[in-house]
Amino acid sequence: MDTLLDWLKAHVFSAIKSAFGDVDAEPNVAPCQEEFGHYQCNNALQLAKVLKLAPRQVAQKLIDALLEKEAFSKIEIAGPGFINFTFTKEFLSEYLQKQLKDPLLGSPLPKKRQKVIVEFSSPNVAKELHVGHIRSTIIGDCLARLFEFLGHDVLRLNHIGDWGTQFGMLIAYMKEHAADVLTGEQKTDLPSLMGWYRAAKRKFDEDPEFKKKSQLEVVQLQSHEPLAFHAWEVICDISRKGYQEIYDLLDVKIHERGESFYNPYLKNVVDELSEKHLIQISDGAKCLFLEGFKNREGDPLPLMVQKSDGGYNYDTTDLAAIRYRIFVDRADRIIYVTDVGQSLHFQMIFAAAQKALWLDPSKTQVDHVGFGLVLGVDGKKFKTRSGETEKLIDLLYEAISHAKELLLERLPDMDSQERDHLAHVLGIDAVKYADLSSNRTKDYTFSYERMLRFEGNTAVFLLYSYVRIHGIWRKVGANKAEVLASHSIQLDHPSEISLGTHLARFGEVLEMMKRDLYPNHLTDYLYALAEKFNVFFRDCRVEGTPQEKSRLVLCELALRVFAQGFDILGLKKVERM
Ligand code: ARG
C-alpha cells in the first residue's frame, strides 16, 4: 500500500497542477513536529518565487485546490507559508487497520522486483580479521534483510580476499613448519594460521632465501600446480571455518564469492579496456586516468589494472567483479559495505566502469556504504582484551557473558536455562544494535556497559517494550484471532493518536532507509516507537475499559511493527523477560 507520505504527496502534486497549471514542482512534504500537525508542505515558498505571488497566497490557493479534504481535521498556513496537515482520527484509524492487514506493513509493493547485490563482510584469508569486518557483517546483513523484506531478489556476497602474493610466503612457511597441516594430517584453527602468516611475513622481510622460495610458490599457485594449489585450498578452508563460527553466532547467511573467483576474467578485463583505448602506461604499469581524481599534490591519480611485472591487483579484481555483476548477475543495484577508508577506491571503480560503458547509472545503481572505525572506551582504535584482533569471536562471547551478569543482577529469580538463552539473545542483539544505531559514517565507541543498558537507545530497552506488549495480551487473556477478526483500531486519546501516527510511518522509514542505506533511520524509529508506546501505556488503560478491544488491536500492530523492525535489524526476539 502507499505510505501516508506518498498519499499526501500525490494529493499536493495534483493540487499544484490544478491551481497553477504546468509549473515545475516536486511535492515537497515531510513529517513535522507533533505540535504543528502530522506533515508539512514547503511548496508554497518555492512556487511563490516562480509565480511572483506572496507565499501565503500561494499556500491558500494550493489548499483550495486540494481534493479529499475530509481526510484532515486541520490544514493550517504557518509562518512564511508552510502548510501543516493534521489527519483526522478516523482517517488514521482506517489507515492503521489496512496496515495491519498488509504483509508489508505499510511499505509500497516494489514497481519491479530488483536484483540487489549486497556485498559485505569480506574478510581476508589468513590475514588479520578486524572488528571492521564485524561492522561490515552486521550492516550488510541488515541491508540485505531490508531488501528481502521489501520483496527484492537479494544476492548476499562475501568478497573474501582469497588470492594474492601473500599466499606464496604462507605456503612456503607452512611447508617448513606445518607440513602436516597442508597434507591434511593435522587439524588447526584460524588463530594458528594467522600466527603463521605473521611469522611468514617477518621471515619474508628478513631472509632473501625465503623470499625467493615464496615468489616461486606464487608462480606455482598461479599455474595451479597441484601441491601449491592444494595448500591454498587447505588454508582457505581453515579460514572459512573461522568466519563461519562468527556468522553462525550472528545468524548471518552469506554466499562466498572471493577474489579468486574473478581470476579467469582479469586478462579479459584489461584487454577490453585496452581495446577501448582507456589504458595508459605509467612506469611500465597499465593504468586508467579518470577525470576528477587527483592525489594530494594535485597530480592525476591513476587506477592501476596491471602491474609492470604483469600481475593483476585489487583494482583489477573489482573491475572484473562489477562487470560480472552487471552482465552475468544482471544486478539492478550493487551495494558495497566497507570502511569509509575505501570510498575513493570505489568511486574510481564506479567511474572506470562507467567509462568502459559497463555501468549505466540509469539502469544500475551502485552504492558504497562506508562506515567509521570502532573505538574502545579509551577513544583509541578498539582492541580485544588480549590486544589480539584475531580473537574477534571472543568479543561476541564476552557480550553474552556481560548480558548474563546483568540478568543475574536484575532478574535473580530467573531459571538458569532461560537466563542462558536470554543472555545469548541480549548479548548478540546488543552488539548489533549498538553498531546499527550509530550513524554508520561516524566512528563508534564499543562499550559493553553502554550497549546493555536497560534505559535509552539500546536493544535491551526495545526488547523490553516489545515484551511488555506481549504481557498486555497475556494479561487480558483474550483470544487474539477473535479480537482481530471482530474489532478495529479507533484512535481517540492524544497519546493513542501519537502512537498511531508513528506506527503509520513504518513504511516511510523503510523507504528512506532503502534510499540512503542508513540503518539508524530504523533504530531511531523503533526507539521513538518504544517511547510512544510507553506513553500510551501510561495514559491509556487497556484491560477492562470500553476501548479494551480496539486498544488491543493497536497493540497488535505495534507488536508486528516491532517484530518486523527487529527482523530487519537482524535482532532475535523473546516474548517474556
Ligand atoms: N577484503 C577487503 C578488506 O578486508 C574488503 C573487500 C571489499 N570489497 C571489494 N569489492 N573490494 O579490506
Side-chain angles (χ1 to χ4, degrees):
M1 63 195 270
D2 271 348
T3 63
L4 271 185
L5 180 63
D6 286 338
W7 183 91
L8 188 53
K9 277 185 177 173
H11 276 71
V12 165
F13 187 70
S14 316
I16 292 175
K17 294 286 144 184
S18 86
F20 309 111
D22 212 16
V23 289
D24 209 16
E26 281 293 307
N28 184 344
V29 183
C32 66
Q33 279 180 325
E34 247 170 323
E35 62 257 44
F36 301 130
H38 297 139
Y39 290 90
Q40 185 169 77
C41 165
N42 286 348
N43 281 94
L45 293 115
Q46 301 151 343
L47 282 169
K49 290 196 194 102
V50 187
L51 299 165
K52 306 210 165 29
L53 289 172
R56 291 184 70 101
Q57 199 184 345
V58 175
Q60 191 54 54
K61 281 184 191 288
L62 200 157
I63 294 171
D64 291 341
L66 212 61
L67 298 176
E68 295 193 57
K69 281 209 261 295
E70 62 282 5
F72 307 99
S73 61
K74 203 164 73 184
I75 305 176
E76 220 173 31
I77 304 177
F82 303 114
I83 308 174
N84 294 334
F85 294 98
T86 307
F87 287 109
T88 66
K89 306 184 227 189
E90 293 73 22
F91 182 85
L92 282 173
S93 302
E94 215 173 290
Y95 183 88
L96 295 176
Q97 199 58 37
K98 279 192 220 133
Q99 190 185 355
L100 183 67
K101 302 231 159 71
D102 177 12
L104 286 182
L105 286 172
S107 286
L109 269 178
K111 288 187 193 74
K112 168 183 178 271
R113 184 163 194 253
Q114 290 199 320
K115 173 85 178 234
V116 182
I117 293 182
V118 186
E119 187 220 271
F120 64 99
S121 196
S122 309
N124 300 314
V125 167
K127 274 205 230 169
E128 197 186 44
L129 190 64
H130 51 77
V131 343
H133 291 119
I134 288 218
R135 276 211 92 172
S136 173
T137 308
I138 293 172
I139 296 171
D141 177 55
C142 168
L143 296 175
R145 284 166 179 273
L146 171 73
F147 286 97
E148 283 155 359
F149 171 67
L150 294 176
H152 297 288
D153 176 14
V154 178
L155 179 59
R156 302 157 160 257
L157 288 184
N158 199 357
H159 189 84
I160 62 168
D162 63 354
W163 201 256
T165 47
Q166 75 270 20
F167 282 95
M169 60 186 187
L170 186 57
I171 294 172
Y173 187 88
M174 285 176 70
K175 277 190 175 170
E176 285 174 10
H177 299 270
D180 48 352
V181 171
L182 291 182
T183 55
E185 284 160 66
Q186 181 69 40
K187 294 263 164 290
T188 186
D189 58 6
L190 189 54
S192 319
L193 191 63
M194 289 176 179
W196 294 323
Y197 178 80
R198 278 194 298 271
K201 175 125 188 33
R202 233 176 291 129
K203 198 158 179 196
F204 184 90
D205 294 337
E206 283 161 8
D207 179 350
E209 234 357 81
F210 181 74
K211 191 169 177 172
K212 256 196 221 127
K213 264 195 207 164
S214 304
Q215 284 158 342
L216 209 67
E217 290 293 350
V218 175
V219 177
Q220 304 273 40
L221 179 59
Q222 278 167 345
S223 56
H224 287 211
E225 183 275 324
L227 264 181
F229 195 76
H230 178 68
W232 172 76
E233 286 178 317
V234 170
I235 293 169
C236 290
D237 234 33
I238 302 166
S239 287
R240 197 171 285 132
K241 287 208 182 83
Y243 312 145
Q244 197 52 48
E245 230 188 308
I246 294 183
Y247 299 145
D248 287 345
L249 204 53
L250 290 174
D251 188 25
V252 166
K253 307 250 178 317
I254 189 162
H255 175 75
E256 181 183 313
R257 197 194 269 173
E259 293 181 12
S260 67
F261 176 88
Y262 303 98
N263 285 346
Y265 310 105
L266 300 177
K267 180 178 179 300
N268 193 261
V269 159
V270 176
D271 289 348
E272 192 183 328
L273 294 171
S274 298
E275 279 158 28
K276 290 182 169 167
H277 306 292
L278 298 174
I279 300 279
Q280 286 177 41
I281 307 291
S282 172
D283 290 332
K286 292 188 181 166
C287 297
L288 261 78
F289 287 89
L290 303 153
E291 293 98 63
F293 292 98
K294 300 224 157 58
N295 65 15
R296 247 183 255 152
E297 286 73 44
D299 299 326
L301 187 66
L303 185 72
M304 196 200 287
V305 293
Q306 192 169 17
K307 295 183 279 185
S308 53
D309 66 4
Y312 303 110
N313 59 20
Y314 192 60
D315 294 338
T316 331
T317 306
D318 264 323
L319 286 174
I322 198 167
R323 191 180 69 159
Y324 191 93
R325 291 166 188 180
I326 292 171
F327 293 107
V328 183
D329 293 320
R330 305 208 144 268
D332 298 294
R333 188 163 182 181
I334 312 172
I335 295 167
Y336 298 79
V337 187
T338 80
D339 61 291
V340 284
Q342 298 198 40
S343 54
L344 180 63
H345 163 75
F346 284 109
Q347 294 323 314
M348 291 180 85
I349 294 294
F350 300 161
Q354 223 173 307
K355 207 146 183 211
L357 301 180
W358 300 333
L359 175 63
D360 173 352
S362 71
K363 294 208 182 89
T364 314
Q365 184 178 349
V366 288
D367 297 277
H368 174 236
V369 169
F371 54 80
L373 294 174
V374 183
L375 304 176
V377 250
D378 56 1
K380 297 206 191 90
K381 227 172 143 171
F382 184 82
K383 288 255 156 64
T384 44
R385 203 184 276 159
S386 57
E388 293 170 48
T389 24
E390 74 261 31
K391 299 274 173 57
L392 212 50
I393 186 115
D394 292 351
L395 174 150
L396 301 176
Y397 283 118
E398 195 154 333
I400 296 172
S401 89
H402 273 80
K404 195 166 164 180
E405 272 168 44
L406 185 81
L407 290 173
L408 268 168
E409 199 182 288
R410 287 266 187 153
L411 307 163
D413 304 327
M414 187 178 268
D415 92 39
S416 78
Q417 222 179 334
E418 193 183 347
R419 180 182 301 124
D420 285 347
H421 173 69
L422 191 56
H424 192 105
V425 172
L426 287 188
I428 300 295
D429 279 2
V431 172
K432 288 190 179 182
Y433 191 86
D435 192 323
L436 296 170
S437 61
S438 70
N439 174 325
R440 62 171 164 76
T441 57
K442 308 247 163 71
D443 295 348
Y444 107 91
T445 306
F446 192 96
S447 151
Y448 294 114
E449 187 266 325
R450 196 177 311 160
M451 66 177 71
L452 282 162
R453 282 189 192 150
F454 266 71
E455 295 81 29
N457 191 9
T458 65
V460 189
F461 176 69
L462 293 196
L463 266 179
Y464 198 72
S465 310
Y466 174 76
V467 162
R468 217 165 158 189
I469 314 179
H470 274 289
I472 298 173
W473 272 103
R474 272 197 300 271
K475 190 143 178 270
V476 175
N479 178 318
K480 199 180 258 195
E482 246 168 52
V483 173
L484 295 180
S486 48
H487 294 85
S488 57
I489 295 169
Q490 315 267 321
L491 300 177
D492 190 37
H493 189 282
S495 309
E496 209 171 17
I497 297 174
S498 165
L499 172 63
T501 22
H502 194 70
L503 284 169
R505 278 187 194 144
F506 185 54
E508 184 184 311
V509 170
L510 297 188
E511 285 299 294
M512 181 157 76
M513 187 170 155
K514 181 179 100 181
R515 214 169 37 236
D516 55 22
L517 311 174
Y518 279 87
N520 64 312
H521 289 318
L522 180 54
T523 58
D524 288 347
Y525 171 84
L526 292 175
Y527 180 41
L529 178 60
E531 288 192 313
K532 281 177 193 287
F533 188 84
N534 291 342
V535 172
F536 156 78
F537 196 59
R538 182 195 66 200
D539 296 345
C540 303
R541 225 190 122 72
V542 178
E543 199 191 358
T545 60
Q547 302 97 326
E548 181 186 271
K549 298 292 185 302
S550 99
R551 287 187 173 159
L552 277 176
V553 185
L554 182 64
C555 285
E556 182 60 19
L557 179 58
L559 207 59
R560 289 189 194 174
V561 168
F562 263 127
Q564 194 52 62
F566 290 157
D567 277 356
I568 293 172
L569 296 173
L571 307 184
K572 288 240 175 0
K573 310 177 282 287
V574 286
E575 294 189 0
R576 45 176 98 221
M577 232 191 237

